[in-house]
């Protein structure tokens, strides 16, 4: 145990210490390849930006969580928010101070980074327990004695309603609202099946009485697995977009995007051009033919599955497994263009099913990056992210220039800018008409 771990654990309740200690081995194993590949400070350890990025990557890949305070928000990792923003959300002040002090002094080694990840995960799961307790209270059920399996199932359904839905719009305290949930959320029957499956897996039974502690274990498993389970909706969204794809891979012309909302009833494709631009999801390289960037759009706040004060459940980032494969193969923060090309050409995805020879323009892109980095290509900079987007345009996001985007939820964007995030029917029809005119002019 490192000195940091010892000092932190001395300031935590026993039950939290035990939970964190149980999580550390998993975090160590998951983080080891990424840690080896990230650039280090003068002490050979990770600094603020690198630790934030490592935690961001870990929670995205493990749980499809976007933890508040760990995202760059349109800024480089090295210059955007410090790690303090994430620590201040859930970590007790006396403990957060120890993490910050140690990080400022020397940085974090692998064990310390994994320990911080385990601490954050434990505290996030405590949020799930708080919502579970709220669900018991809403149904007027006590937690002292065992309850029938079906009663606990009802509690967990209320928990999932709280987990998924905006409390300002849907008051789950109201029985009438709970009864109408299928009308609001067509995927609710599948969510109920997910709940029952988690119950059976944790308790190894489908009836009888369940203790409160069993319900705790179920909700922590549900919170950890929900992102993976719901990702099927993300893949369906992607396939719907790719069916509209233009001649350019990973792009849907704005006119087709809005036209599908008007003509085909695709209600999820109603975002305005201004809002898409703010999200970094609009490609206006050809002004007459603006297009929606598929991976950027899928990963935007308008498509987040659920949110809390601590994190959002989002779609899995299909580019991260590709980057992880490169990190494992290279084992460092940078490599030569030739080495990277040899590894990239064998990577496959659902849309790139076979290894391939990289086209000349991609090889030149790597050479261009290397020219400004002493013959090496850094794996975690904007230029390489741009290369990955061009190599895998349906999986990897296009990285916007720093400060040109500001991803926000629709309501936040409207409050700050005064511009509606939803396009009017007139605006959508105008987008479609402009696209048709542009096609005629070609």
């Amino acid at each position: 145990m490192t000195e940091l771990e010892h000092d932190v654990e001395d300031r935590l309740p026993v039950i939290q210490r035990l939970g964190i200690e149980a999580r550390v081995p998993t975090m160590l194993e998951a983080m080891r390849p990424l840690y080896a590949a990230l650039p280090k400070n003068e002490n050979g350890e990770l600094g603020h930006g690198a630790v934030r990025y490592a935690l961001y990557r870990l929670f995205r890949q493990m749980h499809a969580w976007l933890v508040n305070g760990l995202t760059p928000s349109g800024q480089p990792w090295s210059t955007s928010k410090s790690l303090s923003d994430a620590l201040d959300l859930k970590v007790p002040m006396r403990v957060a101070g120890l993490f910050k002090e140690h990080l400022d002094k020397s940085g974090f080694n692998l064990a310390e980074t994994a320990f911080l990840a385990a601490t954050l995960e434990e505290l996030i799961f405590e949020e799930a327990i708080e919502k579970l307790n709220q669900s018991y209270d809403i149904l007027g059920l006590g937690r002292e004695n065992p309850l029938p399996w079906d009663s606990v199932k009802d509690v967990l359904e209320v928990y999932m309603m709280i987990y998924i839905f905006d409390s300002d719009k849907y008051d789950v305290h109201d029985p009438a609202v709970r009864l109408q949930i299928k009308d609001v959320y067509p995927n609710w029957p599948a969510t109920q099946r997910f709940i029952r499956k988690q119950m059976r897996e944790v308790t190894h039974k489908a009836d009888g009485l369940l203790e409160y502690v069993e319900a705790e274990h179920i909700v922590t498993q549900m919170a950890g697995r929900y992102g993976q389970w719901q990702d099927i909706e993300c893949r369906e969204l992607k396939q719907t977009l790719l069916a509209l794809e233009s001649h350019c891979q990973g792009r849907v012309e704005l006119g087709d995007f809005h036209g599908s909302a008007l003509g085909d009833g695709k209600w999820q494709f109603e975002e305005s051009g201004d809002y898409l631009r703010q999200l970094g999801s609009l490609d206006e390289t050809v002004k007459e033919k603006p297009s929606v960037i598929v991976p950027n759009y899928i990963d935007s706040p308008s498509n987040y599955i659920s949110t809390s004060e601590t994190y959002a459940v989002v779609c899995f980032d299909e580019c991260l497994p590709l980057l992880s494969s490169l990190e494992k193969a290279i084992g460092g923060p940078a490599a030569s263009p030739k080495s990277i090309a040899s590894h990239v050409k064998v990577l496959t995805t659902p849309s790139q099913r076979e290894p391939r020879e990289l086209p000349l323009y991609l090889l030149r892109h790597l050479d261009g990056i290397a020219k400004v980095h002493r013959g090496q290509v850094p794996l975690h900079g904007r230029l390489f992210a741009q290369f990955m987007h061009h190599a895998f345009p349906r999986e990897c996001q296009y990285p916007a220039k720093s400060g040109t985007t500001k991803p926000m939820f629709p309501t936040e964007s409207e409050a700050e800018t005064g511009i509606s995030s939803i396009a009017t029917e007139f605006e959508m029809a105008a987008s479609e008409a402009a696209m048709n005119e542009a096609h005629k002019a070609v």
Side-chain angles (χ1 to χ4, degrees), residues 2-5 28 31 35 45-46 51 55 99 102-103 106-119:
T2 67
E3 181 181 349
L4 173 65
E5 292 174 77
L28 270 171
M31 196 167 279
Y35 187 91
E45 300 186 340
L46 301 186
V51 170
L55 294 172
F99 280 118
H102 189 87
L103 186 57
S106 61
F108 280 177
N109 60 29
L110 173 61
E112 291 160 345
T113 308
F115 179 69
L116 174 55
T119 302

Side-chain angles (χ1 to χ4, degrees), residues 253-260 262 287-290 427-442:
E253 290 194 45
L254 185 61
D256 284 331
F257 181 84
H258 283 156
S260 69
L262 283 175
K287 281 199 169 184
E288 298 77 19
K289 296 181 181 180
E427 289 171 320
M428 289 190 281
S431 294
E432 192 173 22
M435 176 191 69
N436 293 332
E437 285 299 315
H439 287 173
K440 290 178 185 177
V442 174

Side-chain angles (χ1 to χ4, degrees), residues 284-325:
E284 298 178 280
T285 305
V286 180
K287 281 199 169 184
E288 298 77 19
K289 296 181 181 180
S291 58
V292 177
I293 309 170
V294 172
N296 291 50
Y297 175 74
I298 290 172
D299 201 53
S300 66
S302 60
N303 290 312
Y304 290 176
I305 311 303
S306 68
T307 60
S308 75
E309 64 179 20
T310 307
Y311 70 99
V313 179
V314 299
C315 294
F316 272 100
D317 187 332
E318 292 184 295
C319 198
L320 294 185
L322 300 173
L323 189 53
S324 293
S325 295

